[in-house]
Amino acid sequence: MNTEIELKFLVLEKENEVSTVEKISELLNAKKYVYVNQTKTLTNSYFDTADLALRHQDKGLRIRTSADENNNKQSEQTIKTTGKVVGGLHQRPEYNVDITGSFPELSLFPQDIWPENQSLDELQNQLISLFSTNFSRVTWLITIEHLNNEESVVELVFDQGVIQSKDKEDVICEIELELVKGHVDDLLALAKVLCFGLQLRPGIKSKAARGYALYHQHTTGESTCDVRDEELSGLSLIPLKQPNNIEQVFSTGVEYSLTQLQTFVDAYSAKPSLAILNKITETLALLRQGFWLFDQCLNPEMKKLRNELSFFIKKLQWVEDACHLKELTTKTGNYRTKLHYSDALIEQLKSEKNSYPDSEQNIALFHSARFNRVQLSLLSLLLSKTPLVNVERLSHSDVISFAQTALEFNRQNLVKAMSTTSNIDSAQYINHHKLLIRSLLTGSWFGSLYEKSERLAFRNPWLDIKIGISELQTILLLQQQLRKLAEPDVKLTKWLDSKIEHLLLTLEQSRVQAVASLPYWDC
């Protein structure tokens, strides 16, 4: 048995194979890496039962036939068992057996990988070919000198071809870095070199996973979606399962957020939408909030990472306004019927909307060296045996005490700003928006440690205020654009004033309820 430790990246560049291969070699030569180069053609058939029995066991079965430049062929069957993907780093145990035929023989694999009640003969008889992956592979076997006269060996491959399941097809254009032996740090360092010269994004799905998605699409006619509608609304909650210490809370939060970030970037790259883009900015903010919450036990390098997260949050700060403009200009939006008689205003709004970066620019940002460097730094942090330092500086050592302190600190700041006896005007709500988001994100970090019903009773009024402020921002943006017109519509102006007044009354009711809510961490 071998356990793969590999990084996978999808290549954005719409260039031919030769140009990408040349770029990779140039990057390796510039850093004086020592390597051996070769090219192969790989034909892979993936097998399972019609009801996906292996898939349900989180196993992947394939037969691979490789042909080198001299057309020397070799075939092997491989089964990959349950593994883990963190930040684009794939770790999966696999078993390889050389074969001469074109159909798998399950009895050649170790018996202990199968469930006790598994009938191997029955499984063998039910196997069918579901999909294939056929691609050219250029390999660089790289030797990297390490400290103390040690060395690491990394296999870098560039694959280009197709995944096919009957009439369905998907493109393969990806890079994989596999640690043959040595140190994961060398793997990550090599990845950073590649990210500076190529437009990449972490590949969170294996070729097999993409093939299964095509098979599902072929058999059902439905395409699979990685992001459900419910995931695009509301703030994410980090799933903390009885953590033993503060380091574990931080690591779990970073791992969850990084996985979410890469999932949303992958979904946006496949089908751009403002809703997904908004979740990307929200996930970046969730990550940064974690770095603020654990500030006392971060080293200077980790704090630099927090600054990088802030850079991308600022880079995407236009997204919120773009969401408001979409609400105003979409025919199904709540305000569109009120604007239908104001062509000048609609044109003004569309002009403002067109001033924002387009999807190609956003995708380029998510494939940039700087964005990849942040993700690789987060991954390196997770792989470190001591992700946090200076834990002894914390005044509270146990998880619950630490969470309560953070939750109460953010609540008090928010309540202090919101608990004025007189009504709050629209400008004050906008000013308090950041405090509200920080408090809610703190709850996203620690909320799963507490009872759901008590947590929701506290959070829901604050979430109502968040939604109300978002609607207020939409109306104020419309009001701002209306004032830019030479002759603002009088009826629309009055309607907007009335709308703001009504919304402030609704917000006032939620504010009174929110301020009076009992903190669930004190229950």
Side-chain angles (χ1 to χ4, degrees):
M1 181 192 75
N2 298 319
T3 299
E4 281 187 328
I5 299 178
E6 67 177 25
L7 273 172
K8 185 187 295 289
F9 291 96
L10 303 183
V11 181
L12 176 66
E13 294 173 298
K14 299 175 182 177
E15 300 179 274
N16 59 41
E17 177 184 348
V18 174
S19 124
T20 303
V21 170
E22 287 177 350
K23 280 189 176 182
I24 293 173
S25 293
E26 288 172 3
L27 290 167
L28 296 178
N29 292 333
K31 291 294 183 178
K32 303 189 184 306
Y33 280 110
V34 178
Y35 61 86
V36 177
N37 194 227
Q38 67 172 340
T39 301
K40 288 184 177 181
T41 300
L42 301 177
T43 303
N44 309 271
S45 293
Y46 286 78
F47 297 82
D48 205 333
T49 64
D51 59 353
L52 307 182
L54 292 175
R55 183 68 168 167
H56 295 318
Q57 295 178 27
D58 201 17
K59 290 183 173 70
L61 173 64
R62 75 168 182 232
I63 286 184
R64 166 172 289 175
T65 301
S66 61
D68 61 19
E69 293 157 314
N70 298 318
N71 204 33
N72 297 314
K73 294 185 178 180
Q74 180 182 3
S75 296
E76 69 174 6
Q77 64 178 35
T78 298
I79 193 161
K80 296 188 179 185
T81 57
T82 304
K84 188 177 183 181
V85 180
V86 179
L89 185 77
H90 298 242
Q91 300 180 67
R92 290 195 77 179
E94 66 171 43
Y95 300 83
N96 302 297
V97 180
D98 290 337
I99 60 169
T100 56
S102 59
F103 204 84
E105 297 180 43
L106 299 181
S107 60
L108 298 178
F109 292 121
Q111 294 298 307
D112 59 4
I113 69 173
W114 306 105
E116 291 184 7
N117 59 349
Q118 179 76 68
S119 171
L120 213 55
D121 289 339
E122 183 179 344
L123 187 62
Q124 176 74 45
N125 293 332
Q126 293 178 356
L127 288 179
I128 59 173
S129 177
L130 302 187
F131 57 90
S132 63
T133 63
N134 306 300
F135 51 91
S136 64
R137 166 167 286 181
V138 184
T139 303
W140 296 259
L141 191 63
I142 305 166
T143 302
I144 305 170
E145 291 186 6
H146 203 77
L147 300 175
N148 303 322
N149 294 321
E150 297 179 10
E151 65 178 26
S152 295
V153 177
V154 176
E155 184 181 66
L156 161 62
V157 303
F158 171 62
D159 295 337
Q160 189 170 53
V162 294
I163 304 171
Q164 293 176 309
S165 182
K166 301 297 182 181
D167 59 335
K168 303 299 178 182
E169 191 172 287
D170 196 6
V171 173
I172 296 172
C173 189
E174 61 187 40
I175 287 171
E176 292 180 1
L177 298 168
E178 182 178 351
L179 185 64
V180 179
K181 73 169 187 177
H183 302 268
V184 175
D185 287 348
D186 293 325
L187 186 77
L188 297 176
L190 177 57
K192 288 182 180 179
V193 170
L194 296 175
C195 289
F196 273 104
L198 299 164
Q199 289 183 291
L200 310 172
R201 77 174 186 273
I204 57 178
K205 297 181 196 170
S206 65
K207 295 182 185 71
R210 293 166 64 191
Y212 271 107
L214 279 184
Y215 176 73
H216 174 82
Q217 188 175 354
H218 167 73
T219 54
T220 67
E222 300 174 355
S223 58
T224 57
C225 183
D226 295 318
V227 179
R228 300 183 300 272
D229 289 341
E230 56 266 29
E231 292 181 270
L232 297 177
S233 60
L235 292 172
S236 301
L237 196 70
I238 292 171
L240 300 175
K241 298 179 181 178
Q242 298 180 333
N244 296 319
N245 52 55
I246 293 169
E247 293 96 332
Q248 194 175 4
V249 174
F250 182 70
S251 295
T252 300
V254 171
E255 180 180 336
Y256 171 81
S257 302
L258 180 57
T259 300
Q260 288 289 96
L261 177 66
Q262 293 177 348
T263 299
F264 289 131
V265 167
D266 202 53
Y268 184 85
S269 299
K271 190 177 181 180
S273 78
L274 269 178
I276 296 176
L277 198 57
N278 193 48
K279 289 300 294 186
I280 292 172
T281 60
E282 181 186 291
T283 307
L284 288 168
L286 182 64
L287 269 167
R288 184 180 63 177
Q289 184 68 13
F291 280 80
W292 273 331
L293 292 169
F294 293 87
D295 180 76
Q296 298 175 62
C297 45
L298 299 180
N299 64 33
E301 286 301 312
M302 292 181 183
K303 292 182 180 181
K304 288 181 182 178
L305 189 51
R306 182 183 67 197
N307 293 336
E308 283 296 282
L309 292 169
S310 293
F311 169 82
F312 285 103
I313 291 170
K314 290 177 182 176
K315 195 82 174 173
L316 296 167
Q317 63 185 1
W318 59 269
V319 172
E320 192 171 21
D321 279 351
C323 289
H324 300 319
L325 280 172
K326 182 181 179 181
E327 174 68 16
L328 293 171
T329 55
T330 303
K331 289 184 178 181
T332 55
N334 294 330
Y335 303 99
R336 192 63 169 82
T337 54
K338 291 291 181 182
L339 309 182
H340 67 89
Y341 50 79
S342 182
D343 293 337
L345 180 57
I346 291 294
E347 289 304 312
Q348 175 71 27
L349 292 170
K350 288 182 177 179
S351 175
E352 189 76 15
K353 184 179 177 182
N354 291 336
S355 68
Y356 296 130
D358 60 26
S359 59
E360 285 191 12
Q361 291 171 304
N362 297 326
I363 289 173
L365 176 68
F366 299 142
H367 289 73
S368 67
R370 191 167 183 176
F371 196 72
N372 276 300
R373 189 168 64 238
V374 169
Q375 295 173 83
L376 287 169
S377 296
L378 289 168
L379 178 58
S380 179
L381 185 154
L382 290 173
L383 296 174
S384 171
K385 293 181 180 179
T386 54
L388 292 182
V389 296
N390 303 322
V391 178
E392 67 276 6
R393 292 184 185 178
L394 295 171
S395 56
H396 301 284
S397 58
D398 66 282
V399 172
I400 295 299
S401 294
F402 183 81
Q404 287 176 333
T405 301
L407 288 163
E408 185 61 26
F409 175 78
N410 280 273
R411 186 191 75 88
Q412 287 184 7
N413 285 342
L414 182 58
V415 169
K416 183 179 179 181
M418 288 272 198
S419 61
T420 176
T421 54
S422 59
N423 291 350
I424 299 179
D425 61 25
S426 57
Q428 288 174 306
Y429 274 115
I430 301 299
N431 288 338
H432 298 331
H433 189 233
K434 285 185 178 180
L435 279 177
L436 173 60
I437 295 300
R438 288 178 185 174
S439 181
L440 289 170
L441 288 176
T442 301
S444 292
W445 268 85
F446 300 117
S448 63
L449 295 172
Y450 302 89
E451 288 294 328
K452 182 178 180 180
S453 58
E454 295 170 351
R455 182 181 71 241
L456 291 179
F458 175 84
R459 279 172 69 88
N460 282 343
W462 292 111
L463 288 169
D464 288 342
I465 294 175
K466 175 181 176 292
I467 294 170
I469 291 177
S470 179
E471 187 174 356
L472 184 61
Q473 288 172 319
T474 300
I475 299 173
L476 292 175
L477 181 62
L478 177 57
Q479 196 176 58
Q480 180 186 44
Q481 297 301 319
L482 184 63
R483 289 169 179 166
K484 290 182 180 180
L485 300 179
E487 297 181 5
D489 186 272
V490 176
K491 288 185 178 180
L492 185 56
T493 300
K494 289 182 177 180
W495 179 81
L496 284 176
D497 290 340
S498 174
K499 187 71 176 176
I500 291 173
E501 183 180 349
H502 176 74
L503 183 55
L504 287 175
L505 288 173
T506 304
L507 278 167
E508 176 63 16
Q509 293 172 359
S510 296
R511 180 180 71 88
V512 171
Q513 184 181 356
V515 170
S517 297
L518 293 176
Y520 55 87
W521 52 91
D522 284 343
C523 296

